Amino acid sequence: MLQRFALSIALAALFSGLLRTPARADSVAQIATSIRIDRGTATLIDPQGRPGEVAEGSDTAVRAGDVLTFFLSFTPVPNGGVRGLGGYVTIYIPANTEVVGARLISRTGNTVAPHRGGYSSDGTGPRGSVMIDGELGGSMSQLYADTGIFYTVDDRLTRVPGDAFIGLGNGLRMDPRPTAFGQLAPILLAPDSYAHNRWDVVQAYAFGTGGSPNGGRGNTPDLFGSPVAGPQSFYTMEAITTGADAAPVDIDEVVLGAEGPWQRIRTLGAEIGARGAVPPVMDPGPLARVGVPAVAGDGTPLGRLLHAGDPLPALDPDMPAVPYARALRYAVGELVVGEEYRCEFSLRVVRTPLDPVSDSDVICGEVFGGDASAEAEGNDGKDNSWRYFLPAPACVSLNLLFDLDVDKLAALEGEPLTYTIRGKNLSTDAHDDVVVRYCYENGEVDITDADGGTMGDGTGCPVEGDPLDISWDIGELLPGEEFDFEIGAVARGGGRGDSTIGRAIFTSRQLPDPGFQTIAFTVIKALTVLDLALEASPDRLDPPGEVTYTGTVTSLSTGDTQGDGCAAGGCRVQYELPEGFTFVAGSATLDGVANVPTAAANFVTFTDLNDIAAGGSSEFVFRMAVPAAHPAGAYRSRVATTYRDEDGETVHDSIAEVGEVVVGTRRSDAPVLTGPLFAGTTSVGGNTTEGAGATIRVYLNGVAVVEDTSGAGGNFDVTTPTLFVGQGVFATAQSAGELESLPSVELTVVGESRGAACSDGIDNDGDGDIDFPDDADCDSPDDVDEASTPACADGIDNDGDGDIDYPADLGCSSLLDTDETGGAECSDGLDNDGDGDTDFPDDEGCESADDRSESRLPQCANGIDDDGDGNIDFPFDAECADALDDDESTAGGTDAGPMGADAGPGGSDAGPSGGDGGPGGSDGGGVPPPDPGGVDAPSGGGCACRTTGAGSVPSALLVLGAFGIWQRRRWL
């Protein structure tokens, strides 16, 4: 059984021998950098801000009914190739939780679609057809076509081992190993080949090992071999074992079985194979990406509609034989070196501990990838994913928030890198003898700023080779305390040449060796990453007419992109336009110069390309004619590109569902949602200019969940499943006879909105008194909290200087300040925070002599315009999600809206430009001030805060903690 603090490291000893790249394009590997706790979840369970008894089986403040959100992040890395056919992420679901949400997100929190499967030869693939037990081999491009999110209740997907963190050296040992083990083991530093569930072992034995009928290479039998095999995949069939379930899996007992166990979850932009029941039998044909939208014959999106009102089932202890959800699997599509992928999932707590097998609040997952995308017909893209099955694992425990981020996923030698380490004790117990260590390989980076840490020789680093380290001796870390460190470095490359791995390690007396670890990865080479876009003008017309298309290929690369040096038939930019549109001869230009592309049917292909310098772009302009008889509707296009990088490696990218033109009709106007939206809300309101009677559809995490009609004046209030923190919400409107509108601005659900604490029958502040009038801190039954309001947020001119509250009264250091008197603490001659240091520059909590507070406060509560946008702190700076937010420049929610069916890297945003994920503020203009509320601190400072925003609307649950703001330290 895991001990309460058993954070044994799934990632220990991972990656130190990374990326000695083979000369040929073998595959693109995947690195699971970490499973992370969402910031909203960390705020929810902050032990300082959540008084009450700890639930049985947990050492955190988590309670039954809480919705906890996590995401697994991973980075594709080159194994001779820079584009991979497809990647897969597995999340093992703790049995005492029910899944209420799952989506792919960007680094900024946007809902995004999976990439399309990478390029591969259609038909039987470059290795030719395969006959297995009389079954014909399938189509390689079909095998990787299925993308989206899947789940299973099959107990063969139960995590092994169940009583420990999964790692590279535990689980089910595979003998024989998959045939590409030797390629991937040096990248992952894997001591041997292990799987962590029985189903994966059987599939890898059947299709990826030398002892399998296909020799562990090439195609699988027709309709067999998909990592997401099931009734709503193109490759539906699985392999099975005839042996006992409890016995080791023997390859001799593996046979072809029946329908696979994976079920689809409805997912934005998910795809499925394009052909019928059987792929065509043919020699290697044209390069293909054959996925199409995953919809049924009637056009209905495939997959289970997942939300808080219909979660995936959890374990019922009274009925253990009833199936419950064992795992999620994300088929993320093409892997692109230089990008980061994030798979988010939200779990509602049924009981504690979350994981009854390990008797702990532990969540684990892993990643693996497939072959490289095809360079040319008959070349790569020829092997199934099971040949490359060597999963990279990661785990997390709910009692510790510990993250490492790097500002660049790709860099050139000599470029600066910035690493940020953040941590927070989410346990109700203290951590003692805490040491935070940053480990790196000597020669890969030069450290320019250690942020007060002690430089070391790598002692304590689980890294092979020549490690060095920086350490911070924190000592005691109290419940709810947090820290952050920022490290400056210069990329060098060193021994691995193509990459650098930084790893942050947290150790304490409560944790077994080697502590808890998380990883940041940067490719150091001239890497090609392209962003594709296509715009149409006009975007609406009544036929006949012409449409001018402008396509751009922008280099986000660290190296130049070759276009004019490709061999014949090599580099190209191809536009697949709506059927019935025809190319207008003589209309094309490339970078402003006349060009003659190849035009056939609705395809326009440019082959006479220009090189693109790093950071530069190429522009393609041409016209298409729309005939008079063209059917009315909305028409979108696809773009596919082939370039070469500086090493001569072929790079394929594509996007879909872009360059929309509405022909012979119109789209309704996008509605406007009323925000902010709070966790626990069961409706979404807003307004549409379409007036009364329009159909309003509400989308949660990019998927349409409910619809209703607008009322008088276009107002609407649509009943929804209960919303939870972090969900992305947008809506569309559609009037009769018109097309559905584009999405509204996406809102992100923020912290819980509660009723009046002074009449809810609960001792919210833990002082022994309940509600008005018994609790002296309640002003009335309608008071939103039982805690006293700090003087700097009470709407009263307490010191009589004519200024009221923060930030107007300069005597206020934040909304939490209990005294309006005085000026800037950092020049008043007093040791205001009691740390033994007085004023700037002696007190390290002072940024300047004008700093209002000697305490190091989060950016959104420090009285400083940190991002220079003219707005200071929560709730006045819209980028602040709450007063705990330590970054004024990044909204707590989304900033670019959900993507459309982005079929390749970079892609184009086909959705709305998202909105501020945090509650909006006001400029004061007569609006009642925010009430931070919450639990009184023993010394009178800090609180477990809720705020009331403009118009006294209850706002986010801030959970600052008893005396929390003042106790949180930044160790230097």
Side-chain angles (χ1 to χ4, degrees):
M1 306 289 280
L2 279 180
Q3 297 301 314
R4 186 60 52 84
F5 286 92
L7 293 172
S8 55
I9 304 309
L11 298 175
L14 196 61
F15 324 133
S16 71
L18 264 158
L19 302 181
R20 304 185 189 278
T21 309
R24 64 190 188 282
D26 287 309
S27 70
V28 171
Q30 293 180 222
I31 302 299
T33 57
S34 63
I35 294 181
R36 304 189 183 200
I37 302 171
D38 179 77
R39 289 179 63 184
T41 293
T43 300
L44 173 68
I45 63 173
D46 185 335
Q48 287 201 26
R50 205 173 197 194
E53 295 184 3
V54 177
E56 182 178 356
S58 179
D59 63 334
T60 72
V62 69
R63 298 168 187 168
D66 288 343
V67 174
L68 313 175
T69 296
F70 308 83
F71 64 89
L72 183 147
S73 62
F74 75 87
T75 306
V77 298
N79 176 36
V82 293
R83 296 291 186 271
L85 279 172
Y88 304 92
V89 173
T90 307
I91 302 296
Y92 295 101
I93 304 168
N96 283 340
T97 66
E98 49 190 16
V99 181
V100 296
R103 61 172 174 162
L104 288 161
I105 60 173
S106 68
R107 280 193 120 189
T108 53
N110 302 326
T111 307
V112 297
H115 290 176
R116 305 188 74 202
Y119 278 112
S120 179
S121 291
D122 201 0
T124 56
R127 291 195 188 276
S129 60
V130 176
M131 297 294 294
I132 303 177
D133 293 339
E135 296 287 340
L136 183 64
S139 163
M140 193 60 62
S141 54
Q142 296 287 337
L143 184 65
Y144 289 97
D146 288 304
T147 62
I149 305 174
F150 301 78
Y151 75 97
T152 182
V153 297
D154 194 309
D155 62 5
R156 292 173 295 170
L157 271 298
T158 300
R159 188 181 91 223
V160 179
D163 59 354
F165 275 22
I166 58 175
L168 288 165
N170 67 6
L172 301 170
R173 183 173 175 272
M174 296 191 62
D175 183 16
R177 300 164 171 169
T179 56
F181 173 82
Q183 294 179 24
L184 303 180
I187 294 179
L188 300 181
L189 286 185
D192 208 333
S193 178
Y194 287 91
H196 298 105
N197 66 75
R198 293 181 65 87
W199 191 83
D200 282 347
V201 174
V202 174
Q203 310 314 305
Y205 276 172
F207 311 119
T209 61
S212 59
N214 65 343
R217 295 177 173 231
N219 297 297
T220 60
D222 187 27
L223 301 183
F224 282 86
S226 169
V228 290
Q232 293 177 326
S233 302
F234 184 85
Y235 270 63
T236 61
M237 312 299 277
E238 64 170 355
I240 62 173
T241 177
T242 58
D245 289 342
V249 180
D250 190 324
I251 190 171
D252 293 332
E253 298 173 335
V254 172
V255 298
L256 296 182
E259 192 171 75
W262 292 101
Q263 305 282 335
R264 276 189 182 268
I265 293 172
R266 199 169 298 184
T267 306
L268 173 71
E271 291 198 335
I272 193 172
R275 301 190 189 279
V278 180
V281 180
M282 52 189 263
D283 292 329
L287 296 180
R289 299 178 192 241
V290 296
V292 297
V295 297
D298 60 359
T300 303
L302 290 176
R304 175 173 180 154
L305 203 55
L306 178 65
H307 52 71
D310 189 16
L312 301 185
L315 169 69
D316 184 345
D318 296 326
M319 303 179 68
V322 175
Y324 60 93
R326 305 295 180 128
L328 297 172
R329 180 157 286 176
Y330 297 70
V332 301
E334 186 178 39
L335 301 177
V336 180
V337 174
E339 290 194 357
E340 182 187 58
Y341 296 62
R342 296 190 174 194
C343 299
E344 182 189 86
F345 54 101
S346 298
L347 310 174
R348 185 160 57 202
V349 179
V350 176
R351 62 190 69 84
T352 55
L354 307 186
D355 183 5
V357 176
S358 65
D359 192 28
S360 63
D361 296 332
V362 167
I363 301 97
C364 293
E366 57 192 350
V367 301
F368 70 97
D371 202 358
S373 291
E375 178 179 354
E377 295 175 28
N379 202 332
D380 302 305
K382 56 187 177 289
D383 289 322
N384 72 83
S385 59
W386 297 110
R387 184 189 182 201
Y388 300 95
F389 181 69
L390 182 57
C395 295
V396 70
S397 179
L398 193 60
N399 58 20
L400 179 64
L401 179 71
F402 190 59
D403 292 331
L404 171 66
D405 289 298
V406 64
D407 64 333
K408 294 185 181 72
L409 298 176
L412 293 175
E413 186 172 353
E415 288 190 343
L417 300 173
T418 300
Y419 294 91
T420 304
I421 303 173
R422 297 183 179 92
K424 185 175 187 178
N425 182 7
L426 298 180
S427 171
T428 52
D429 301 319
H431 282 266
D432 301 316
D433 301 332
V434 173
V435 175
V436 172
R437 193 179 308 276
Y438 173 75
C439 296
Y440 60 100
E441 187 88 358
N442 188 13
E444 290 182 358
V445 296
D446 293 335
I447 300 299
T448 58
D449 181 7
D451 200 1
T454 300
M455 303 292 290
D457 61 2
T459 301
C461 291
V463 182
E464 297 179 3
D466 185 17
L468 298 173
D469 74 290
I470 308 167
S471 62
W472 296 265
D473 189 352
I474 291 176
E476 184 181 40
L477 191 67
L478 298 175
E481 282 195 293
E482 57 188 1
F483 55 83
D484 66 273
F485 306 110
E486 190 171 279
I487 303 165
V490 174
R492 293 303 179 203
R496 287 189 283 257
D498 280 350
S499 72
T500 180
I501 291 288
R503 61 184 82 218
I505 303 169
F506 180 101
T507 60
S508 73
R509 187 162 53 84
Q510 285 73 22
L511 300 184
D513 291 337
F516 183 71
Q517 179 180 171
T518 184
I519 290 172
F521 171 82
T522 300
V523 177
I524 303 176
K525 65 176 294 184
L527 190 67
T528 297
V529 178
L530 299 178
D531 181 77
L532 313 181
L534 181 67
E535 295 183 356
S537 178
D539 58 8
R540 180 188 176 278
L541 62 80
D542 291 316
E546 291 185 354
V547 179
T548 298
Y549 285 96
T550 301
T552 54
V553 179
T554 301
S555 172
L556 307 179
S557 310
T558 53
D560 295 339
T561 301
Q562 299 177 8
D564 62 359
C566 294
C571 293
R572 60 192 177 276
V573 176
Q574 184 176 76
Y575 296 90
E576 181 182 354
L577 290 310
E579 291 186 10
F581 287 26
T582 57
F583 177 68
V584 177
S587 67
T589 62
L590 168 57
D591 294 331
V593 178
N595 191 281
V596 182
T598 299
N602 55 316
F603 288 83
V604 176
T605 305
F606 293 80
T607 55
D608 183 15
L609 308 181
N610 297 324
D611 292 346
I612 306 175
S617 64
S618 272
E619 182 181 78
F620 302 81
V621 180
F622 57 94
R623 298 198 307 276
M624 298 292 287
V626 183
H630 202 284
Y635 296 92
R636 295 178 178 177
S637 304
R638 295 182 179 183
V639 185
T641 65
T642 301
Y643 280 86
R644 297 276 171 86
D645 63 18
E646 289 188 352
D647 296 331
E649 182 74 35
T650 303
V651 176
H652 309 284
D653 294 301
S654 76
I655 55 173
E657 302 298 307
V658 292
E660 179 180 274
V661 179
V662 176
V663 176
T665 183
R666 69 176 296 271
R667 278 198 184 277
S668 296
D669 295 332
V672 176
L673 296 184
T674 301
L677 296 174
F678 298 103
T681 299
T682 56
S683 65
V684 172
N687 180 267
T688 173
T689 58
E690 300 297 326
T695 298
I696 306 297
R697 295 182 182 89
V698 175
Y699 291 72
L700 304 181
N701 287 350
V703 176
V705 174
V706 291
E707 66 178 51
D708 203 342
T709 55
S710 56
N715 295 318
F716 58 85
D717 190 17
V718 180
T719 300
T720 65
T722 303
L723 304 181
F724 54 84
V725 173
Q727 272 184 308
V729 181
F730 62 83
T732 63
Q734 185 174 15
S735 290
E738 297 180 349
L739 301 175
E740 183 179 12
S741 75
L742 295 175
S744 67
V745 169
E746 183 179 44
L747 301 181
T748 297
V749 180
V750 294
E752 193 170 359
S753 173
R754 300 175 185 262
C758 287
S759 57
D760 64 0
I762 301 172
D763 181 12
N764 297 275
D765 57 359
D767 64 358
D769 299 320
I770 300 175
D771 292 354
F772 181 84
D774 296 330
D775 194 312
D777 291 322
C778 289
D779 297 325
S780 71
D782 298 326
D783 196 340
V784 297
D785 63 74
E786 289 186 348
S788 59
T789 302
C792 288
D794 62 1
I796 302 171
D797 182 11
N798 296 278
D799 59 357
D801 64 355
D803 297 319
I804 298 175
D805 293 353
Y806 175 86
D809 195 312
L810 295 179
C812 293
S813 62
S814 74
L815 288 170
L816 311 177
D817 199 336
T818 59
D819 187 356
E820 283 189 351
T821 61
E825 289 186 357
C826 287
S827 57
D828 65 359
L830 302 175
D831 179 12
N832 297 276
D833 57 0
D835 64 356
D837 298 320
T838 301
D839 293 353
F840 179 83
D842 296 328
D843 195 309
E844 293 172 341
C846 292
E847 302 285 348
S848 69
D850 296 327
D851 196 336
R852 303 185 191 203
S853 173
E854 285 188 348
S855 300
R856 198 280 179 181
L857 299 176
Q859 286 191 5
C860 289
N862 65 2
I864 301 171
D865 182 11
D866 298 274
D867 58 357
D869 64 357
N871 301 311
I872 299 176
D873 293 358
F874 176 82
F876 307 104
D877 193 314
E879 303 299 327
C880 290
D882 52 50
L884 276 180
D885 196 336
D886 199 31
D887 189 352
E888 278 192 353
S889 65
T890 303
T894 65
D895 65 359
M899 294 176 67
D902 176 13
S908 174
D909 181 0
S913 56
D916 172 21
S922 71
D923 58 6
V927 178
D931 173 11
V935 180
D936 290 329
S939 61
C943 56
C945 293
R946 291 185 293 275
T947 68
T948 304
S952 297
V953 178
S955 184
L957 179 67
L958 300 183
V959 196
L960 297 181
F963 202 47
I965 281 291
W966 319 122
Q967 288 189 1
R968 293 190 171 97
R969 297 171 283 178
R970 187 173 192 273
W971 286 268
L972 298 172

